[in-house]
Amino acid sequence: MTDKTIQTPQTREEILAMSLEAREQEVMHYQINIDNYMLALEEIGKLPPDERAELAAFANQLHDLLVSEKLEQKKAKIMLSVIKQQIG
């Protein structure tokens, strides 16, 4: 068993550096979801009309998720910018 010690950030700079990394990852995760939802909607759009009709509710869910992820990503980008300003 390996003994791992997790260091808690102690200074403002350490906290901001940790926050910066977390926000960058958050923005990236939103982008992955956005890309996935867009590609899924494209795939549904390629299907024959009867299959598209069967998946209409799912396509609507994906659309709503896409809109939501884009908004949340915008918020995360604002917070990322604020953190960068404090570091810079």
Side-chain angles (χ1 to χ4, degrees):
M1 185 172 171
T2 305
D3 184 25
K4 292 185 179 179
T5 305
I6 298 175
Q7 295 266 324
T8 304
Q10 300 295 317
T11 66
R12 175 181 172 81
E13 291 77 19
E14 290 173 348
I15 292 168
L16 285 170
M18 198 168 110
S19 296
L20 177 66
E21 183 178 339
R23 289 295 176 175
E24 288 172 338
Q25 288 181 1
E26 182 182 16
V27 169
M28 178 182 59
H29 286 279
Y30 284 126
Q31 190 60 51
I32 289 168
N33 287 340
I34 289 166
D35 294 344
N36 286 340
Y37 299 149
M38 290 177 65
L39 289 169
L41 288 167
E42 287 176 20
E43 288 297 310
I44 292 170
K46 294 175 187 176
L47 295 172
D50 59 327
E51 290 183 43
R52 282 197 312 264
E54 288 177 340
L55 293 169
F58 179 54
N60 288 338
Q61 288 175 329
L62 288 172
H63 179 267
D64 291 345
L65 288 167
L66 178 60
V67 169
S68 176
E69 291 291 300
K70 285 181 174 182
L71 178 60
E72 293 304 315
Q73 186 186 51
K74 285 179 184 180
K75 293 176 189 179
K77 284 180 176 180
I78 288 170
M79 295 311 298
L80 176 60
S81 174
V82 168
I83 292 167
K84 286 180 177 180
Q85 289 174 41
Q86 291 183 69
I87 291 173

